[in-house]
Amino acid sequence: MESFNNFSTATATASAFKVAEASVAVATLREFVKGMSWWTVAATSLAILLVAEQIRYLNRKQGIAGRAWTIPIVGEFLASMHPTFEGYLAKWESGPLSCVSVFHKFVVIASTQELSRKILNAPAYVQPCVVDAGKKILKHTNWVFLDGKAHVEYRKGLNNLFTRKALGVYLPAQEQVYDEYFKEFLAMSKEKHVPYMNIFREINVAVSCRTFCGDYITSAAIKAISDDYWRITAAMELVNFPLVLPYTKIWYGVQARNRVLAEFEASSAKSRARMQAGEEPNCMMDAWIKEMIEAKAFQEKGDANSAGHAPILIREFSDSEIAQTFLSFLFASQDATSSAMCWLFQYLADRPEILDKVREEQLALRDGDRNKRMDIDMVEKMTYTRAVVKETLRLRPPVLMVPYAAKKDYPITPEYTVPKGSMIIPTFWHALHDEEAYPEPNHWNPERWTEGKAESFPRNWLVFGTGPHVCLGQQYAVMHLMACVGKASMFLDWDHLRTPTSDDIRIFATTFPMDDLLLKFSERAA
């Protein structure tokens, strides 16, 4: 007992000495700080923060490729403000995994087909984040940011908008847009070659709006949306200023977003009234709303367990939700298809023998009558035209990468774990330029899809992604490109003015010819 008491006394005495020592240390530190100027305190604090930043970066980087140290505070922000394809390519070729840091956001980049597919098929570890500005522009309530069961169910409600039957319904409105714009092409080409990057962006906005909204939206509104979507695209760059301050790109993007949503909400309300009146659908909004009406009526009859066809009703969607969904559809389709259309028309102009084969196929499918209107059967039989489109998408993929966020620590390889909260980006360039799958990968060769072995490598075909977030509208996008260039080949000739940068890649959300594609169109004789 006496030993225990002695031990307790000794312990208490030691603790008292430690408290006293700590008090002396704190007092000494306080006196030391008091003796420093506020400039010295600020500089010391900043130095500590900067050192901590480097330590944090190195701990996250581990052994993957990337800068040996990060630029303080901003990281790669300034370099990312004006991205170049060459800069991206150098990063991809630096290793299977590489990293950068931007405003303390740690970014891991995967460059191989295997790692990219692994990320795209890992919903337990990652979720789409589009870009840092994505939720500010598309709104955080947009369906593209849903995850797990909520995303699967929402997607089920959209699948029927892209069936073969539905795609056939959209074709007449699309062909009408082609007719209108082909007249404009001829009017603009009377004197000289014209840059067509922005013109193709306009035709794709018009096609998308007519497909989505039919005649509920005016031509003037479509033109305004086209102008606004330039601002939205600029705001959705991979890296942008993180705050929505007045007159920044993101601020302009938010203002544009609000105007586009207002047009889409008004169109949805008109469509709902027309579908409730029992009219037949002629656009995507009609198809979605009619399906909801029919599914609700089906369930109210108590026939949900019958053997008959049961339309899928996840729930009823408001005009606001429908508008947000089509805002995301427009974002997904507009720049990507505009990019593909630029490269498609450029390559066909540069390779007239390929364009002649497209014309032969198109005329044969029209039974020799170039004025024959398109239908889904005709488009599905465009075998060679499809090969031309697929080869263009492979050689010049519009979308080079898709940002995801790590929901938790992700052991992507045995040697490296992506830290929770990091951005992780699968890239597609190397998968689509794999020499084993695509011999002479930098050569534009549509025959590789009809006579070669390209179709034997579906794992490399990452143009539209893969996994639970694979592009919902990929069949629609390919059909639109086939229909547009097929129709153009019947009625137009076009000449490409080549420049030293015609084959170089410009990055503006998606990929475009560096010289903005200088074309001159003329009317083709019957």
Side-chain angles (χ1 to χ4, degrees):
M1 187 67 177
E2 184 177 353
S3 298
F4 177 77
N5 289 335
N6 291 337
F7 176 76
S8 298
T9 301
T11 302
T13 301
S15 297
F17 274 120
K18 288 181 179 179
V19 170
E21 288 175 353
S23 298
V24 170
V26 170
T28 302
L29 180 62
R30 186 181 294 117
E31 289 301 317
F32 176 73
V33 171
K34 280 184 179 179
M36 299 168 62
S37 69
W38 72 272
W39 278 106
T40 305
V41 173
T44 303
S45 301
L46 179 60
I48 292 171
L49 290 174
L50 294 178
V51 170
E53 178 185 25
Q54 299 301 325
I55 293 172
R56 179 175 181 268
Y57 170 75
L58 292 173
N59 284 339
R60 290 177 164 233
K61 179 179 182 293
Q62 298 297 321
I64 64 176
R67 275 181 175 270
W69 55 277
T70 182
I71 299 173
I73 303 174
V74 298
E76 298 290 327
F77 173 70
L78 296 178
S80 302
M81 288 291 290
H82 302 286
T84 65
F85 173 74
E86 291 74 20
Y88 283 155
L89 186 61
K91 178 64 65 176
W92 303 332
E93 293 185 343
S94 67
L97 291 173
S98 59
C99 68
V100 296
S101 179
V102 182
F103 281 123
H104 299 286
K105 171 70 73 173
F106 188 71
V107 183
V108 177
I109 302 164
S111 61
T112 68
Q113 178 251 96
E114 294 81 5
L115 289 176
S116 293
R117 289 187 67 90
K118 187 172 183 178
I119 296 166
L120 294 168
N121 285 285
Y125 289 100
V126 301
Q127 64 184 25
C129 63
V130 188
V131 293
D132 279 346
K135 290 187 177 181
K136 298 181 181 74
I137 302 297
L138 299 180
K139 303 189 78 168
H140 72 280
T141 52
N142 202 298
W143 80 285
V144 297
F145 302 116
L146 295 177
D147 196 25
K149 182 180 179 182
H151 174 264
V152 171
E153 289 187 341
Y154 206 117
R155 192 179 177 103
K156 282 181 180 178
L158 302 175
N159 281 336
N160 283 344
L161 304 182
F162 298 96
T163 62
R164 181 183 186 277
K165 179 180 178 182
L167 294 177
V169 170
Y170 312 145
L171 267 172
Q174 291 172 218
E175 190 167 14
Q176 182 180 343
V177 173
Y178 304 151
D179 290 341
E180 294 169 0
Y181 271 84
F182 290 170
K183 291 178 182 177
E184 291 192 21
F185 291 179
L186 293 172
M188 288 184 289
S189 298
K190 289 182 178 179
E191 296 182 2
K192 60 182 181 179
H193 292 77
V194 176
Y196 265 79
M197 173 190 167
N198 287 335
I199 297 169
F200 281 148
R201 292 181 84 254
E202 285 187 18
I203 188 174
N204 279 291
V205 169
V207 168
S208 294
C209 287
R210 287 288 176 229
T211 301
F212 300 160
C213 306
D215 293 329
Y216 303 129
I217 192 167
T218 66
S219 297
I222 290 175
K223 180 64 172 67
I225 289 174
S226 179
D227 294 339
D228 276 335
Y229 237 80
W230 179 272
R231 299 180 180 92
I232 291 174
T233 299
M236 294 284 276
E237 290 172 341
L238 182 61
V239 177
N240 226 320
F241 191 76
L243 302 177
V244 186
L245 298 179
Y247 310 113
T248 60
K249 286 183 180 181
I250 296 181
W251 183 84
Y252 281 115
V254 169
Q255 310 309 308
R257 184 267 325 271
N258 292 339
R259 292 189 290 269
V260 175
L261 282 179
E263 288 290 346
F264 283 172
E265 282 191 47
S267 296
S268 178
K270 294 174 186 175
S271 172
R272 194 180 300 274
R274 186 170 171 271
M275 292 302 98
Q276 287 174 339
E279 299 289 335
E280 286 300 310
N282 59 20
C283 66
M284 202 174 282
M285 278 185 182
D286 285 351
W288 190 7
I289 292 171
K290 185 176 180 65
E291 185 177 86
M292 283 191 285
I293 293 171
E294 290 179 346
K296 184 178 180 181
F298 191 92
Q299 291 188 2
E300 287 176 349
K301 290 178 182 178
D303 295 334
N305 296 320
S306 70
H309 170 66
I312 297 174
L313 176 65
I314 305 304
R315 61 181 174 83
E316 287 193 77
F317 294 92
S318 67
D319 292 333
S320 175
E321 289 174 312
I322 290 173
Q324 287 185 47
T325 300
F326 284 107
L327 179 73
S328 71
F329 282 0
L330 188 56
F331 171 69
S333 65
Q334 191 265 337
D335 282 302
T337 49
S338 300
S339 163
M341 193 171 287
C342 283
W343 295 111
L344 185 58
F345 275 78
Q346 173 168 312
Y347 289 148
L348 285 170
D350 292 347
R351 296 282 299 279
E353 76 279 9
I354 301 294
L355 179 53
D356 284 344
K357 291 183 179 180
V358 170
R359 285 181 169 134
E360 290 172 10
E361 178 178 74
Q362 294 294 320
L363 195 59
L365 291 173
R366 288 167 168 78
D367 301 320
D369 179 9
R370 68 173 185 168
N371 293 303
K372 185 176 181 179
R373 306 302 283 181
M374 287 184 289
D375 58 29
I376 192 65
D377 290 331
M378 182 190 296
V379 176
E380 286 184 336
K381 293 175 183 176
M382 296 179 182
T383 305
Y384 190 75
T385 308
R386 181 183 296 275
V388 168
V389 169
K390 289 193 70 172
E391 178 65 354
T392 303
L393 292 170
R394 181 204 66 79
L395 182 60
R396 287 290 186 266
V399 178
L400 298 173
M401 59 189 87
V402 179
Y404 279 72
K407 297 189 288 187
K408 55 185 178 182
D409 288 351
Y410 178 20
I412 189 170
T413 69
E415 299 78 26
Y416 185 74
T417 296
V418 179
K420 177 182 177 181
S422 303
M423 183 183 288
I424 180 166
I425 304 179
T427 61
F428 308 142
W429 183 266
H430 285 312
L432 295 165
H433 290 74
D434 181 348
E435 289 191 10
E436 181 183 357
Y438 313 112
E440 296 183 273
N442 294 318
H443 178 61
W444 189 65
N445 177 22
E447 273 73 16
R448 74 170 81 244
W449 297 97
T450 56
E451 302 169 8
K453 59 178 183 178
E455 293 287 4
S456 302
F457 292 86
R459 291 181 64 82
N460 286 73
W461 182 248
L462 292 179
V463 172
F464 298 99
T466 188
H469 291 275
V470 65
C471 178
L472 193 63
Q474 59 179 297
Q475 298 302 324
Y476 160 76
V478 172
M479 182 192 78
H480 160 44
L481 292 167
M482 291 162 57
C484 182
V485 79
K487 175 96 176 180
S489 72
M490 292 288 89
F491 290 88
L492 301 172
D493 288 312
W494 59 95
D495 180 69
H496 175 218
L497 179 61
R498 288 192 60 81
T499 73
T501 61
S502 290
D503 295 319
D504 294 342
I505 296 175
R506 173 187 177 188
I507 305 292
F508 183 72
T510 52
T511 65
F512 292 94
M514 186 66 75
D515 61 6
D516 290 346
L517 182 60
L518 298 169
L519 297 177
K520 184 176 181 181
F521 286 87
S522 58
E523 189 169 2
R524 183 172 177 79

